[in-house]
Amino acid sequence: MKSFIEVSPDSDFPVQNLPYGVFSTCDNPSQRIGVAIGNLILDLSVISHLFNGPLLKSKQNVFKQSRLNDFLGLGFKVWHEARSTIQNLLSADTPTLRDDGELRKRCFVPQSSATMHLPVDIGDYTDFYSSLNHATNVGIMFRGKDNALMPNWKHIPVGYHGRASSVVVSGTAIRRPNGQTRPKDDEPPVFGPCKLMDFELEMAFLTGPGNELGNPIPISKAHEHIFGMVLMNDWSARDIQKWEYVPLGPFLGKNLGTSISPWVVTMEALMPFAVDNYVQDPQPFPYLQHDDKYSFDINLQVAIKPNDSSNATVVCRSNFRHMYWTMKQQLAHHTITGCNIRPGDLLASGTISGPKEDSYGSLLELSWKGTKSVELGDGKVRKFLQDGDEVIISGFCQGNGLKIGFGSCSGKLLPALPIA
């Protein structure tokens, strides 16, 4: 497949990718839907009339919305038709856009001149805890090696409901929170700025049509409800979380902000990079079983750029294939009670840690609860994040001469507000 748009071999966005996002420009501040191709954005609101397939010809208006929710709600057959249409329009052999200079001038926008926005209105956000390495590491730190995993961990995809209102697009600054902590176990709690700010390397998927209340999504149909994936940094106030999480789990330690990348890479683009699922022992209940490959070889890395430095240092290299529970299992489990999923809901993986120390997906693990220093170069070290630090997450798949990337997910940590 070759496009008439020149795309660098190093680009995250060849014609085989075509991730969806929402953008605006200075000359047109309205937020609209586009797909990334090379260093350009194809504005779908301008070419909505060209979606003439049997499923979309009467639904072209979905590409004139300011968010992707309506499009996601149409389902995976429509998603496939849209992708095929866009690839055909961008093909070197198709004259529709290639030979229409005026239309090309209106429908292509340089990414460098665009402002990116949240791709969907997120109604609900769920965060899972699906990395065996991460769960084991955290368990060892707080409960000891013999009790690292809770008894339920290998039986259910553990998760909790997060705060959707504080999910922000990449590039949005995050403020260090104030809250209650208990630095010393034998003394009363104190109130003030979080001392142990952390990142969490995660990925998340956006849902499609969803289900009616009371009707679970069977795992055999789960793929029809998983549209695509984004990078995620689930910022974490470790000391606030430690004091509050018993008995009901994460609350203020997590609701301060969650960053996601602006481009949603579709599952159809990722399928060539599907790999064997993590071997699960014991075998899960039948409602969680599936044999098809639904883990993915996605290379991930996290870099930290201090406020007084021009260089970002990579502190973590991991891979999505390390996940114990698949996205299909997460969605099937989430809805087994009849909980209703809606278009644009966000379901996150939990911290993605690999088996090696340099693949741990949080500073909590990299510094082993603050007992080790993480080198940033130029004599700089970190145990936890400092004000002004920028955290940059990136990810891509690569193989057979093809690169499918996610761009980046970044955010800078601002100082806490003074509170009397």
Side-chain angles (χ1 to χ4, degrees), residues 15-37:
V15 70
Q16 293 86 353
N17 189 350
L18 302 179
Y20 290 82
V22 169
F23 73 101
S24 63
T25 51
C26 290
D27 62 338
N28 183 357
S30 63
Q31 297 180 18
R32 51 211 194 268
I33 296 170
V35 296
I37 173 72

Side-chain angles (χ1 to χ4, degrees), residues 38-51:
N39 59 8
L40 299 175
I41 299 172
L42 175 60
D43 187 339
L44 300 190
S45 71
V46 174
I47 64 163
S48 62
H49 62 286
L50 298 178
F51 288 87

Side-chain angles (χ1 to χ4, degrees), residues 243-289:
W243 173 234
E244 73 179 2
Y245 84 102
V246 177
L248 294 182
F251 185 37
L252 304 186
K254 295 285 191 175
N255 72 1
L256 58 116
T258 299
S259 304
I260 66 171
S261 54
W263 293 110
V264 186
V265 178
T266 65
M267 299 314 300
E268 191 166 356
L270 292 172
M271 286 311 299
F273 301 94
V275 294
D276 290 336
N277 305 326
Y278 205 106
V279 177
Q280 296 177 337
D281 184 21
Q283 187 179 56
F285 284 104
Y287 80 95
L288 291 172
Q289 293 177 16

Side-chain angles (χ1 to χ4, degrees), residues 63-116:
F63 297 116
K64 294 185 177 181
Q65 307 302 311
S66 61
R67 293 292 184 270
L68 284 163
N69 298 65
D70 287 353
F71 175 56
L72 269 56
L74 295 179
F76 80 111
K77 291 181 179 180
V78 173
W79 307 338
H80 174 74
E81 182 178 290
R83 175 178 168 82
S84 298
T85 299
I86 296 168
Q87 285 185 325
N88 180 61
L89 289 170
L90 292 171
S91 169
D93 299 326
T94 304
T96 308
L97 297 180
R98 185 195 66 195
D99 297 346
D100 190 332
E102 180 58 34
L103 182 56
R104 286 179 59 178
K105 185 183 297 185
R106 290 192 294 116
C107 72
F108 286 107
V109 175
Q111 289 190 35
S112 59
S113 66
T115 298
M116 301 304 297

Side-chain angles (χ1 to χ4, degrees), residues 203-323:
M203 298 193 74
F205 65 91
L206 292 169
T207 56
N211 55 311
E212 293 183 2
L213 181 66
N215 296 312
I217 295 174
I219 200 160
S220 61
K221 298 288 186 181
H223 69 283
E224 299 179 12
H225 299 269
I226 302 174
F227 174 70
M229 300 180 71
V230 294
L231 303 170
M232 173 183 282
N233 180 1
D234 194 23
W235 301 81
S236 184
R238 297 295 184 188
D239 45 356
I240 294 175
Q241 182 181 355
K242 181 184 177 183
W243 173 234
E244 73 179 2
Y245 84 102
V246 177
L248 294 182
F251 185 37
L252 304 186
K254 295 285 191 175
N255 72 1
L256 58 116
T258 299
S259 304
I260 66 171
S261 54
W263 293 110
V264 186
V265 178
T266 65
M267 299 314 300
E268 191 166 356
L270 292 172
M271 286 311 299
F273 301 94
V275 294
D276 290 336
N277 305 326
Y278 205 106
V279 177
Q280 296 177 337
D281 184 21
Q283 187 179 56
F285 284 104
Y287 80 95
L288 291 172
Q289 293 177 16
H290 68 96
D291 295 326
D292 58 310
K293 296 179 181 181
Y294 215 73
S295 186
F296 296 88
D297 184 11
I298 305 173
N299 300 291
L300 299 165
Q301 71 174 35
V302 183
I304 297 176
K305 181 179 177 293
N307 194 45
D308 58 353
S309 175
S310 58
N311 298 316
T313 300
V314 175
V315 297
C316 164
R317 289 183 172 89
S318 190
N319 195 294
F320 187 75
R321 70 190 305 165
H322 296 313
M323 302 305 296

